[in-house]
Amino acid sequence: MSASPVERYVYGPIRSVNLVVDLEDPLSPELPLREFVRANGAPPSPPRYRVLELELAVCPEDHQPVLLAECGGCPKFVKRSKRHVCCRRVLV
Amino acid sequence: MSLPLEERFRRYFVAKGLTPSEGGDLGRGFPVLAFRDEGRLVLVAIMPGGSLGSRTSILSAAMGALELKRSAHAVYVALPKLYASMIDGEIFEERGLGLITFDERRLDEVVPARASEPEAARAPAGRPEGIEELEGLRAKVSELEALVRALDRELKALREVPVAPQAAQDLAAQPLSNRPAPPAPPTGELPSYFRDNPWLEILAKRGREGPGRYVG
């Protein structure tokens, strides 16, 4: 009789980063929204600028930063809830 | 060999003790499976990975699944894991929807569905809002109508009964100028030569004249 694996769940916080992308100048550096406003003195306005919201978390397996969209492809991802990502960790 | 997605869900719920049932709705753009659990209807709305393109479309599909709650005791939304990473599970918890994530290998019930009575079953038991208040108002109107009728009858009866003799009513109806004058005071004590005598008035004035007119 084989022992079933013991699972537990780990939760990690989700961090959101708003990144400003210049659609007309590909060489312009992508800046966080706060830094963009500080450098230009005004918020980004379309159609030249677009604000991307990146959702990041720290992977509980390798402790590397990952996009939440990457978590969707991980077999250990369970769900996201209340600004946290829930992952499965197999103990045995 | 991998099973079709719907068959995987069917086996998953059968393993949980539910029995497949008719009643799934295929007209919503996504397959809906129906199961019975001791008379309770459980619906599972499956969002295939290929049909969803954005977070907004996922939310739209989830809200469509929310409509299913009107006709079922419990509703599950099944999302591919990739899309489950874009939506907070709290949204489903707050609305009582269950969430099942799936990929090629496994299904996970990550948010259990909250059981509730479907609206179709609730409607006959619970009366629509405002009916009791309307019935109360109708009863009060009926009471008031009966009271008004009784008061009307009493008023008519009071009008028919005379409240004073006919002479008093006639006197009250006459104007003051037409009424008979009261009798004059008696004048028979004076002698006859005093009657219509102009000297009486002259003599009466002499008694009220001042003393300054006399020289002395």
Side-chain angles (χ1 to χ4, degrees), chain B residues 66-90:
Chain B
L66 196 58
E67 288 181 16
L68 295 173
K69 269 186 76 73
R70 295 179 182 172
S71 57
H73 294 85
V75 176
Y76 283 92
V77 179
L79 285 179
K81 275 193 174 179
L82 178 63
Y83 299 121
S85 68
M86 300 177 188
I87 294 188
D88 202 305
E90 194 179 8

Side-chain angles (χ1 to χ4, degrees), chain B residues 151-166:
Chain B
L151 288 172
D152 192 37
R153 278 196 300 271
E154 286 184 17
L155 186 61
K156 283 179 182 172
L158 286 172
R159 280 177 180 163
E160 289 170 0
V161 174
V163 295
Q166 191 62 37

Side-chain angles (χ1 to χ4, degrees), chain B residues 35-52:
Chain B
F35 297 91
R36 288 276 172 189
D37 181 17
E38 297 176 352
R40 294 165 59 243
L41 179 63
V42 178
L43 296 179
V44 184
I46 303 172
M47 315 289 173
S51 65
L52 301 171

Side-chain angles (χ1 to χ4, degrees), chain B residues 107-121:
Chain B
L107 308 178
D108 286 315
E109 183 179 333
V110 296
V111 176
R114 197 165 58 227
S116 62
E117 285 295 316
E119 286 184 7

Side-chain angles (χ1 to χ4, degrees), chain B residues 126-203:
Chain B
R127 307 179 67 181
E129 191 177 350
I131 289 292
E132 290 182 3
E133 188 179 0
L134 185 62
E135 288 181 351
L137 287 172
R138 278 181 180 165
K140 283 183 182 176
V141 168
S142 300
E143 286 177 13
L144 288 172
E145 282 177 348
L147 184 62
V148 167
R149 277 196 293 269
L151 288 172
D152 192 37
R153 278 196 300 271
E154 286 184 17
L155 186 61
K156 283 179 182 172
L158 286 172
R159 280 177 180 163
E160 289 170 0
V161 174
V163 295
Q166 191 62 37
Q169 287 185 12
D170 293 345
L171 182 63
Q174 283 183 359
L176 288 175
S177 57
N178 295 344
R179 290 182 188 180
T187 55
E189 289 86 3
L190 294 175
S192 61
Y193 55 84
F194 274 134
R195 291 177 187 168
D196 301 327
N197 192 339
W199 286 102
L200 275 179
E201 191 177 355
I202 294 168
L203 289 171

Side-chain angles (χ1 to χ4, degrees), chain A residues 72 75 77-78 80-82 88, chain B residues 81 85 87-89 105 108:
Chain A
F77 168 76
V78 177
R80 56 177 292 176
S81 180
K82 299 174 183 174
R88 186 183 298 108
Chain B
K81 275 193 174 179
S85 68
I87 294 188
D88 202 305
R105 288 188 293 177
D108 286 315

